């Protein structure tokens, strides 16, 4: 285990899997400046590491992530500009993190065991997949303290049903894992004892595929979602044509027809 940055512990698992463990339970794994920076550095590094096929984001303690560090935010108000420059930098860097999660070619799975609120809920929604323990809860409670969860809203509104997103944003109420699955915030929930194994099983299944093909599909998934129907079909038709011309597609089709396991070269 690499502990060079104590905020995020990097654990390289078998089969090309990397677990990033948020490691500041005393502050409820808040997305402080240091935590955001550490996550950006870890994900950026993993994105350029061909040995890494899937990234898992987990956390220490019983809070996955409580959102931004309100103590840091309050302290910033003492500056001459009342915190204006700090707040801009904080939300710009947090937005960069969420976009990096989407734009990295590696699939990212949130392993949630506990509470995820505000920007912590945003982090879960931004990940490609999310598996939670059955004691986990989620909320965007900013409205309760006079601070609407506007940036968390971006990820939330793109991943769950609009009326459910609005309900979470307008009420600030906590939802349980059953509701989170129902509205599409998470893929599945399991007992805490089975959480790690369930995430690993999912990650290993994805890691067994062609990395180049997975990267192509992830990029296309998010890009086409912002297009009109006609533009989406035009774009994805070109993506599929280019995909078919690659060696892994040829190998995959031949392996299927020959009833054998494909051998990817990721080219």
């Amino acid at each position: 285990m690499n502990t060079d940055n104590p905020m995020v512990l990097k654990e390289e698992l078998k089969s090309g899997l990397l677990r990033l463990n948020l490691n500041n339970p005393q502050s409820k794994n808040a997305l402080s400046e240091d935590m955001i920076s550490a996550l950006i550095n870890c994900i950026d590094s993993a994105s350029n590491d061909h040995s890494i096929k899937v990234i898992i984001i987990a956390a220490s303690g019983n809070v996955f992530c409580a959102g931004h560090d309100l103590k840091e935010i309050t302290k910033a108000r003492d500056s001459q500009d009342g915190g204006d420059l700090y707040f801009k930098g904080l939300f710009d860097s947090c937005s960069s993190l969420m976009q990096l999660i989407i734009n990295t070619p590696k699939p990212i799975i949130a392993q949630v065991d506990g509470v995820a609120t505000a920007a912590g809920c945003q982090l879960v929604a931004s990940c490609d997949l999310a598996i939670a323990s059955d004691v986990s809860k989620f909320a965007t409670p900013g409205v309760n303290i006079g601070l609407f969860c506007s940036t968390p809203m971006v990820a939330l509104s793109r991943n769950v049903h609009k009326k459910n997103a609005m309900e979470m944003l307008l009420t600030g109420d906590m939802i349980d894992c059953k509701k989170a699955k129902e509205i599409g915030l998470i893929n599945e929930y399991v007992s805490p004892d089975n959480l790690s194994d369930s995430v690993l099983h999912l990650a290993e299944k994805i890691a067994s595929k062609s990395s180049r093909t997975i990267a192509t599909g992830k990029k296309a998934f998010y890009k086409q979602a912002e297009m009109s129907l006609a533009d989406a079909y035009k774009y994805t038709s070109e993506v599929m044509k280019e995909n078919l011309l690659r060696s892994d597609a040829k190998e995959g089709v031949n392996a299927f027809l020959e009833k054998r396991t494909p051998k990817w070269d990721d080219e």
Side-chain angles (χ1 to χ4, degrees):
M1 181 179 290
N2 184 333
T3 58
D4 291 344
N5 192 321
M7 280 286 178
V8 177
L9 302 182
K10 297 170 64 176
E11 184 180 3
E12 294 187 12
L13 308 171
K14 59 183 178 179
S15 306
L17 310 182
L18 175 68
R19 180 185 286 131
L20 303 178
N21 209 62
L22 310 187
N23 190 48
N24 191 14
Q26 296 84 1
S27 295
K28 299 181 180 179
N29 296 313
L31 289 179
S32 62
E33 285 186 298
D34 288 343
M35 181 68 85
I36 292 171
S37 177
L39 274 172
I40 288 175
N41 290 336
C42 288
I43 295 172
D44 190 53
S45 176
S47 297
N48 297 301
D49 185 341
H50 295 301
S51 70
I52 302 300
K53 296 180 178 294
V54 180
I55 301 168
I56 299 166
I57 299 181
S60 303
N62 61 1
V63 175
F64 176 77
C65 179
H68 292 298
D69 191 324
L70 295 182
K71 291 181 179 179
E72 280 191 355
I73 286 174
T74 299
K75 183 178 179 181
R77 295 186 189 280
D78 294 334
S79 60
Q80 192 170 7
D81 64 0
D84 185 273
L85 189 62
Y86 171 83
F87 298 153
K88 182 181 187 306
L90 176 66
F91 293 117
D92 283 351
S93 61
C94 186
S95 296
S96 294
L97 168 62
M98 302 304 168
Q99 291 177 78
L100 177 61
I101 290 171
I102 298 298
N103 293 327
T104 180
K106 317 289 184 176
I108 299 183
I109 305 172
Q111 178 178 319
V112 186
D113 188 14
V115 174
T117 57
C121 187
Q122 178 186 8
L123 180 59
V124 175
S126 296
C127 290
D128 303 303
L129 301 168
I131 308 294
S133 69
D134 58 16
V135 298
S136 297
K137 295 183 178 181
F138 308 84
T140 48
V143 68
N144 295 331
I145 58 170
L147 180 64
F148 199 86
C149 284
S150 298
T151 47
M153 174 174 65
V154 175
L156 193 67
S157 65
R158 282 165 168 74
N159 285 275
V160 310
H161 308 310
K162 285 183 170 58
K163 283 184 169 55
N164 293 118
M166 283 297 289
E167 183 177 0
M168 290 182 68
L169 292 161
L170 292 173
T171 66
D173 288 348
M174 196 83 74
I175 64 170
D176 62 17
C177 57
K178 183 178 180 181
K179 182 70 172 180
K181 181 183 178 182
E182 179 184 314
I183 66 175
L185 180 58
I186 63 173
N187 296 85
E188 190 56 88
Y189 57 88
V190 297
S191 69
D193 290 342
N194 292 327
L195 179 59
S196 183
D197 285 345
S198 295
V199 172
L200 285 176
H201 177 73
L202 178 60
E204 287 173 343
K205 182 180 291 188
I206 296 169
S208 71
K209 318 300 182 184
S210 159
S211 295
R212 179 73 180 273
T213 302
I214 290 290
T216 296
K218 176 175 174 176
K219 179 180 178 181
F221 177 87
Y222 290 111
K223 190 170 182 179
Q224 64 81 30
E226 303 301 320
M227 297 178 176
S228 68
L229 185 64
D231 287 344
Y233 271 115
K234 182 179 180 180
Y235 165 67
T236 53
S237 293
E238 181 65 21
V239 170
M240 287 206 75
K241 184 204 76 173
E242 293 298 323
N243 195 165
L244 273 169
L245 292 172
R246 296 194 191 120
S247 59
D248 272 355
K250 180 179 179 180
E251 165 64 10
V253 171
N254 287 341
F256 177 80
L257 294 174
E258 296 165 9
K259 295 180 172 56
R260 61 176 174 81
T261 302
K263 298 179 180 178
W264 310 120
D265 59 21
D266 286 327
E267 294 297 333

